[in-house]
Amino acid sequence: MAIVQEFVKNAEKDPFFRTLAAVLQRHQIQAFLIGGYVRDLFLGRPCKDIDITVIGDGTRAAQLVADELGVKGEVHIFKNFGTAMFKYQDLDIEFVGARKESYSNLSRKPAVSIGSLADDQNRRDFTINALAISLSKEDFGSLLDPFNGMADLHVGVIRTPLDPLITYSDDPLRMMRAIRFATQLNFNIEPASFQAIRTQKKRIEIISKERIADELNKIILSGQPSVGFKLLRECGLLPLIFPELSALEGVETRQGKSHKDNFFHTLEVLDNLSGLSPDLWLRWAALLHDIAKPSTKRFDPDQGWTFHGHEDKGARMVPGIFRNLKLPMNEKMKYVQKLVLLHLRPIVLAKSEVSDSAVRRLLFEAGDDIDDLMKLCQADVTTKNEYKQKKYRANFELVKQKLVEVEEKDKVRNWQPPVTGELIMQEFNLKPGREIGLIKNAIREAILDGIIPNEYEAAYAFMLERAREIGLTPVNKK
Ligand code: ATP
Ligand code: MG
């Protein structure tokens, strides 16, 4: 147990663990490290969340340790659960009184009573999450592993300590957690357990959308998110929690023509993108980029399958999906919406002659999100045809180069029109009204089309010209 030995050795020097052990001993409190921290210790994953199970009162132990550490912030006490939390340096520390849980059918909130360490380990979701390490002086560092979680850690298996049918029915969130851990850790879910998820999937309805979205986000942020979504599909949870994504699955063939399976394509794009960006919301954009393909799908005898307008319709579906999953309805949602809307544009550019004005328009519309948009498009190339792949890559490079050139020249990326509405009103002594919009639009279009440069002088002259055409004369300023 080299890892435990090293942990014990480090703990002697570590201010938190040293103080913790001393306080526990002084007050004769029996306590154990448990759950995610212990699991991650053995996996060599960094972990800043420390969960401690106390035999007896968790809140008193937390208060004593926090006092001894000289914790400045508050110790948050959750009375009805015998739980207390505080922050120390970059650690989140949680003390819980060991407990026994019994579940009713209607909610995932169990009835809780005081229990032993064994009771507390019994209530854990997976064997790898039930590992405990003693913090008592006599046997500091000894491992308590009643369900052989170490063996499961070793071979990479997600298994419930007790009967999986009961474990998942008691708290159906565990089904999402099983799939999330399998994805994050690249573990397998034990077959009996996966079968139990299949059987119990409908129970997911008692879980709040927020908690489901939390787990989805963790899957999306993992190294290979497709693993989780494929498992969700296989066990039948996906249509229950995310019907729009589930609807992407399937291939239809007519007159010998088939379209690709948009579910598996989407997952490939998401995995590709994960290699390019750690950003959660960009990854959401990848997940949703083709979301309107089922509802825009048509068969044309000449062209074959088309999905006209799926980017536009998809962007309009984003708020509903976010609202349903209780994801934030703020600028993050708007960002995802914008990327879905624009996701075809760089590809269209890459496929045709790349004109300055088309590049300028794209820059103008994407603004600061242009680099993310390019990453999304790059990830969207999933063709297995090497010739096509090469061609697209080369064209992308061309578009990227053009973007840089045009931006250097015209600075339209974060564009502020050189002539503002206020200036127009002032020059022609106008009240806010239709004319101002007309002139402003005309100036913007002229700049984007490259008719005039993106400069004040040129825009001012252009304004005078347009104004004259609609019968406006500037007020004499002297
Ligand atoms: P992560 O912090 O990466 O989400 P974790 O395993 O630490 O992983 P937490 O939600 O922090 O997960 O929970 C800490 C511990 O509490 C878990 O390791 C597990 O032992 C237990 N636990 C959490 N949620 C459940 C649950 N729904 N059912 C049973 N035990 C749970
Ligand atoms: Mg944790």
Side-chain angles (χ1 to χ4, degrees):
M1 276 285 155
I3 292 175
V4 177
Q5 278 165 13
E6 198 181 310
F7 166 74
V8 172
K9 217 172 81 202
N10 291 339
E12 283 165 13
K13 290 173 277 174
D14 180 273
F16 171 71
F17 281 110
R18 221 177 45 196
T19 311
L20 174 66
V23 172
L24 294 177
Q25 202 209 352
R26 192 180 318 139
H27 296 275
Q28 293 293 299
I29 298 169
Q30 212 188 349
F32 302 84
L33 267 179
I34 199 157
Y37 186 87
V38 182
R39 177 198 67 221
D40 288 346
L41 180 74
F42 288 113
L43 290 174
R45 296 169 93 222
C47 183
K48 298 291 175 199
D49 287 350
I50 301 186
D51 293 315
I52 296 162
T53 287
V54 178
I55 309 304
D57 186 358
T59 57
R60 174 171 167 261
Q63 195 63 63
L64 290 167
V65 175
D67 286 348
E68 184 79 11
L69 285 166
V71 165
K72 301 261 181 328
E74 216 182 312
V75 175
H76 300 276
I77 294 178
F78 306 93
K79 279 230 175 62
N80 26 355
F81 299 102
T83 307
M85 283 181 77
F86 61 83
K87 279 188 181 294
Y88 176 68
Q89 295 172 345
D90 59 345
L91 303 172
D92 276 314
I93 296 149
E94 189 169 325
F95 286 76
V96 188
R99 50 165 118 154
K100 198 175 163 151
E101 292 180 341
S102 45
Y103 284 84
S104 78
N105 226 6
L106 297 173
S107 115
R108 65 176 287 263
K109 295 221 167 60
V112 177
S113 56
I114 294 172
S116 62
L117 174 69
D119 291 327
D120 203 80
Q121 285 174 303
N122 280 335
R123 75 176 178 88
R124 304 275 158 176
D125 48 3
F126 306 115
T127 58
I128 59 168
N129 285 346
L131 297 165
I133 289 180
S134 169
L135 295 168
S136 303
K137 178 119 205 294
E138 311 79 63
D139 60 349
F140 191 93
S142 63
L143 183 69
L144 296 113
D145 179 13
F147 308 112
N148 219 356
M150 281 307 282
D152 288 340
L153 261 189
H154 229 80
V155 291
V157 168
I158 308 287
R159 186 197 315 272
T160 58
L162 308 178
D163 180 349
L165 277 168
I166 296 169
T167 302
Y168 292 127
S169 173
D170 278 352
D171 177 0
L173 181 67
R174 293 167 181 162
M175 302 190 283
M176 294 295 301
R177 284 173 59 90
I179 291 174
R180 186 256 291 188
F181 284 122
T183 313
Q184 282 180 326
L185 305 176
N186 203 11
F187 275 29
N188 292 310
I189 300 174
E190 180 225 3
S193 207
F194 199 65
Q195 187 52 45
I197 296 179
R198 270 204 191 101
T199 310
Q200 301 290 18
K201 60 178 186 266
K202 286 239 163 66
R203 294 277 296 153
I204 199 70
E205 67 188 26
I206 67 165
I207 301 299
S208 76
K209 297 279 174 59
E210 286 86 345
R211 283 184 185 275
I212 292 173
D214 258 8
E215 297 299 329
L216 281 179
N217 284 341
K218 286 180 181 172
I219 291 171
I220 292 171
L221 283 172
S222 71
Q224 200 184 339
S226 63
V227 171
F229 285 103
K230 284 178 188 167
L231 289 172
L232 286 170
R233 168 192 165 273
E234 241 174 276
C235 69
L237 274 171
L238 193 66
L240 304 176
I241 61 172
F242 200 163
E244 298 88 345
L245 188 67
S246 189
L248 289 177
E249 192 188 336
V251 176
E252 211 179 318
T253 306
R254 260 192 233 177
Q255 300 178 8
K257 292 177 181 167
S258 313
H259 61 77
K260 64 184 162 201
D261 186 308
N262 287 302
F263 176 69
F264 291 100
H265 163 71
T266 292
L267 295 186
E268 226 182 308
V269 178
L270 180 58
D271 280 354
N272 286 345
L273 185 74
S274 304
L276 300 173
S277 166
D279 185 78
L280 176 65
W281 303 108
L282 182 51
R283 291 181 182 199
W284 265 102
L287 196 58
L288 298 181
H289 78 286
D290 277 347
I291 202 71
K293 277 203 167 170
S295 55
T296 55
K297 179 166 102 172
R298 301 279 177 276
F299 184 78
D300 178 301
D302 299 324
Q303 290 180 49
W305 295 101
T306 66
F307 304 90
H308 289 310
H310 75 273
E311 70 286 14
D312 191 61
K313 176 117 193 252
R316 279 185 278 126
M317 284 169 75
V318 170
I321 291 172
F322 267 52
R323 194 175 309 115
N324 243 332
L325 288 170
K326 300 274 191 288
L327 290 166
M329 297 298 286
N330 58 14
E331 74 288 346
K332 303 297 183 199
M333 185 276 284
K334 294 246 163 68
Y335 162 88
V336 172
Q337 209 176 15
K338 177 172 163 185
L339 289 184
V340 172
L341 179 68
L342 296 176
H343 84 268
L344 292 177
R345 296 279 294 277
I347 300 193
V348 173
L349 269 186
K351 278 184 181 159
S352 56
E353 192 72 19
V354 188
S355 74
D356 274 18
S357 73
V359 173
R360 225 179 274 121
R361 275 186 186 279
L362 181 59
L363 265 173
F364 172 63
E365 281 169 57
D368 269 344
D369 300 321
I370 187 71
D371 297 337
D372 290 353
L373 181 62
M374 291 303 288
K375 282 183 190 155
L376 174 58
C377 288
Q378 201 173 320
D380 200 5
V381 179
T382 59
T383 173
K384 300 290 172 285
N385 177 325
E386 260 185 54
Y387 167 74
K388 278 192 188 168
Q389 242 185 47
K390 255 199 191 139
K391 194 175 84 183
Y392 287 157
R393 288 243 170 81
N395 283 344
F396 261 128
E397 285 314 307
L398 199 69
V399 174
K400 276 190 190 160
Q401 205 181 315
K402 271 269 177 199
L403 282 167
V404 174
E405 279 169 28
V406 170
E407 173 59 14
E408 251 169 37
K409 202 157 49 122
D410 299 340
K411 305 264 183 296
V412 285
R413 185 170 171 147
N414 272 314
W415 194 46
Q416 294 300 328
V419 169
T420 63
E422 288 78 57
L423 186 78
I424 299 170
M425 289 194 275
Q426 193 185 313
E427 295 299 296
F428 300 98
N429 195 19
L430 292 172
K431 298 245 146 43
R434 209 173 63 90
E435 292 99 333
I436 297 144
L438 275 177
I439 299 174
K440 260 176 64 178
N441 274 349
I443 297 173
R444 187 190 64 216
E445 292 301 303
I447 292 174
L448 290 175
D449 284 337
I451 294 167
I452 59 168
N454 181 20
E455 287 160 9
Y456 177 78
E457 306 289 314
Y460 190 86
F462 189 82
M463 170 193 78
L464 289 179
E465 217 175 284
R466 276 296 98 88
R468 194 174 327 114
E469 278 173 21
I470 56 173
L472 295 174
T473 37
V475 283
N476 210 349
K477 292 184 295 178
K478 266 199 189 132

